[in-house]
Amino acid sequence: MSADRERGVTARELRRIAAVLARYPQGDAGSLVNALHDVQAEFRYLPEAALCEVADHLGLPRAQVYGVASFYQGFHLEPRGEHTCTVCMGTACHVRGAARLLETIERDAGVGAGGTTPDLKLTVEEVNCVGACAIGPLVIVDGEYHGHMTADRVSRLVAKLLGEGASR
Amino acid sequence: MDVRLTIDGHEAKAPKDMSLLDVVRRVGGEIPALCHHEGIAPIAACRLCLVEVRRPGRGEAVLTTSCDYPVSEGLEVVTASPRIRRHRAMNLQLLLPYAPDAPALHEIAESLGVTAPLFAPVTGAPLPGCILCELCVRVCAALGYHALAAIGRGDHKRVGPPFGRSVATACVGCGACHEVCPTGCIAMEDTATTRRIWGRELELFTCRRCGKPFTTVAHRTVMVARGDIPAESCDLCETCRSRDYARRLAPVR
Ligand code: SF4
Ligand code: SF4
Ligand code: FES
Ligand code: FES
């Protein structure tokens, strides 16, 4: 076990995981998905060490916990950025130039869709129609919908998201 | 508790809730199945074991997978009909592109009169030949090793070592997954002294008497610790072990 615990996690992170898991009774396998949600809320993704801790706490095999975590789109197994920029690639947004928006973001941020900038500032994502076709093309930044998006505006948005830390 | 049912018009008895597929097989019936193992909970992945069942008081016979269908009192089962055949054939055609070379699939194809897959063979799969029956994952878990996982979803679904590794670190090399895989796509290579499987290279354990390697050192260690092999014969291969038992029995006549 201790070897697993040393895999890239600090003692402080382990304490954070333990604090989350304290909400669940030991061996309560039925809490798996809830526990994963809570751990992800803490780290924005599910580090391997966290998956192992969750498995051990709930009395489940680690391979099975990994299988569950990898099944749901909502769970992330790779580190995520502080901000998320999601481009709608649905049909309505697509015909209004979503591909161009995505290209712009990818170029500005230096990562492809599905990727995260090395400084963990921004994660770029695609989605296929979120039901707001009327205001397309649509870009969602940290859950906020920005309609009728243009390449210029999205470029400025991304610059702001990437620059935030530097200007602080 | 036993229940009574009819299978293709013949009466049969079986423990309530037993898998219908197992019941049919027990009375000598034949149903194609690629993802089923009697000792392991079914997941109904291959969709080949289709049968028609009618519960008492219900009008229509419904098409259902039999491996995960628990038998109940008064069930009427049909294991072969044009409708069953048609659907089994279609499902097999959907599997064939993933394992175009697997003899088990060809055997079933022949029995169903299937001559061609529905689409071109799949290339570039993470594990060529895998039909995602998950028997390997389930058998490994049932044996308590949990070295494999079913990973992802939809067309990204695959089986293999968890946590994005290329090596199944928890694998002891027992070979059970290789044994149960219906398409034979899990590579296991034994040299004189080592076994390679799932990216692992494990030392083989040789029988103290005949010198034949009979499993890996890691697997034997677990079996001994669990008491799966009687301590007095844990250094012997199965053949030599049986001989020992036979010898011990010999005086009893
Ligand atoms: S050989 Fe390894 S992966 Fe396969 S069943 Fe045995 S322990 Fe599991
Ligand atoms: S490797 Fe074999 S046993 Fe495992 S899921 Fe694929 S086909 Fe089934
Ligand atoms: S296509 Fe983008 S919101 Fe519907
Ligand atoms: S054996 Fe029933 S679905 Fe595969």
Side-chain angles (χ1 to χ4, degrees):
Chain A
M1 307 272 145
S2 72
D4 293 312
R5 295 198 168 144
E6 279 152 28
R7 276 188 298 220
V9 259
T10 62
R12 190 164 162 266
E13 282 165 337
L14 274 178
R15 279 199 300 277
R16 282 164 73 196
I17 298 169
V20 173
L21 287 174
R23 296 174 213 159
Y24 298 95
Q26 279 199 356
D28 182 16
S31 295
L32 176 58
V33 171
N34 288 338
L36 291 178
H37 273 299
D38 287 359
V39 172
Q40 184 165 283
E42 189 71 26
F43 295 94
R44 296 199 299 266
Y45 82 111
L46 295 167
E48 177 173 339
L51 290 175
C52 293
E53 293 294 319
V54 170
D56 296 355
H57 185 80
L58 301 180
L60 289 164
R62 293 170 172 192
Q64 191 187 328
V65 168
Y66 179 81
V68 170
S70 71
F71 179 85
Y72 293 102
Q73 197 167 15
F75 290 136
H76 309 293
L77 299 172
E78 297 295 330
R80 301 271 297 176
E82 202 179 307
H83 302 286
T84 309
C85 187
T86 311
V87 184
C88 178
M89 301 299 276
T91 313
C93 292
H94 179 80
V95 297
R96 294 185 198 141
R100 228 190 101 239
L101 296 179
L102 181 61
E103 261 170 47
T104 307
I105 298 168
E106 288 177 335
R107 195 191 51 228
D108 290 0
V111 289
T116 298
T117 57
D119 61 359
L120 298 185
K121 276 278 164 209
L122 182 66
T123 296
V124 180
E125 277 186 335
E126 301 172 45
V127 69
N128 288 320
C129 191
V130 291
C133 312
I135 59 164
L138 187 81
V139 171
I140 307 166
V141 177
D142 294 337
E144 199 183 318
Y145 286 33
H146 298 259
H148 305 297
M149 189 48 76
T150 63
D152 274 358
R153 269 175 57 221
V154 89
S155 211
R156 283 199 297 275
L157 267 174
V158 169
K160 220 171 96 192
L161 297 176
L162 290 173
E164 235 175 47
S167 62
R168 239 183 246 149
Chain B
M1 193 186 65
D2 273 0
V3 296
R4 280 164 307 165
L5 65 159
T6 63
I7 300 169
D8 297 326
H10 301 288
E11 294 210 356
K13 250 208 238 160
K16 186 173 161 21
D17 291 335
M18 187 172 176
S19 149
L20 176 54
L21 176 57
D22 291 341
V23 173
V24 171
R25 284 183 165 175
R26 222 158 256 208
V27 300
E30 271 180 36
I31 296 179
L34 289 176
C35 69
H36 186 62
H37 187 294
E38 223 179 295
I40 294 171
I43 61 165
C46 75
R47 318 305 291 178
L48 292 178
C49 66
L50 296 170
V51 295
E52 287 175 336
V53 297
R54 198 160 70 84
R55 308 212 356 220
R58 305 272 170 91
E60 284 284 292
V62 296
L63 200 61
T64 179
T65 44
S66 57
C67 60
D68 62 341
Y69 197 96
V71 293
S72 55
E73 182 65 34
L75 203 65
E76 287 171 36
V77 186
V78 175
T79 67
S81 73
R83 182 191 183 200
I84 292 170
R85 206 179 153 84
R86 203 169 62 240
H87 284 92
R88 283 182 190 165
M90 161 74 91
N91 292 342
L92 183 73
Q93 281 182 297
L94 290 167
L95 290 176
L96 271 174
Y98 294 92
D101 305 320
L105 271 72
H106 284 284
E107 215 171 276
I108 298 172
E110 206 165 299
S111 73
L112 291 169
V114 168
T115 49
L118 260 186
F119 46 93
V122 170
T123 52
L127 181 56
C130 175
I131 57 166
L132 297 172
C133 72
E134 289 184 34
L135 268 178
C136 51
V137 180
R138 290 180 286 148
V139 163
C140 186
L143 292 170
Y145 302 119
H146 303 282
L148 304 173
I151 306 158
R153 179 187 67 240
D155 49 358
H156 295 295
K157 175 90 170 245
R158 66 201 157 87
V159 297
F163 300 106
R165 293 200 173 72
S166 53
V167 178
T169 47
C171 172
V172 297
C174 72
C177 53
H178 169 84
E179 198 65 42
V180 295
C181 177
T183 67
C185 69
I186 299 174
M188 182 170 95
E189 286 159 41
D190 286 2
T191 65
T193 52
T194 60
R195 168 171 293 177
R196 265 176 217 254
I197 188 162
W198 291 114
R200 297 268 282 164
E201 178 148 13
L202 297 138
E203 199 192 325
L204 285 173
F205 189 88
T206 44
C207 173
R208 203 174 26 129
R209 191 165 305 153
C210 70
K212 196 184 79 181
F214 67 94
T215 189
T216 63
V217 171
H219 181 215
R220 177 186 162 274
T221 306
V222 175
M223 287 197 294
V224 171
R226 286 182 186 164
D228 291 352
I229 309 182
E232 73 272 15
S233 58
C234 61
D235 288 347
L236 304 180
C237 72
E238 254 174 80
T239 318
C240 293
R241 220 178 299 153
S242 322
R243 261 188 215 139
D244 257 13
Y245 294 149
R247 207 165 292 145
R248 245 175 282 150
L249 287 176
V252 191
R253 255 189 223 124

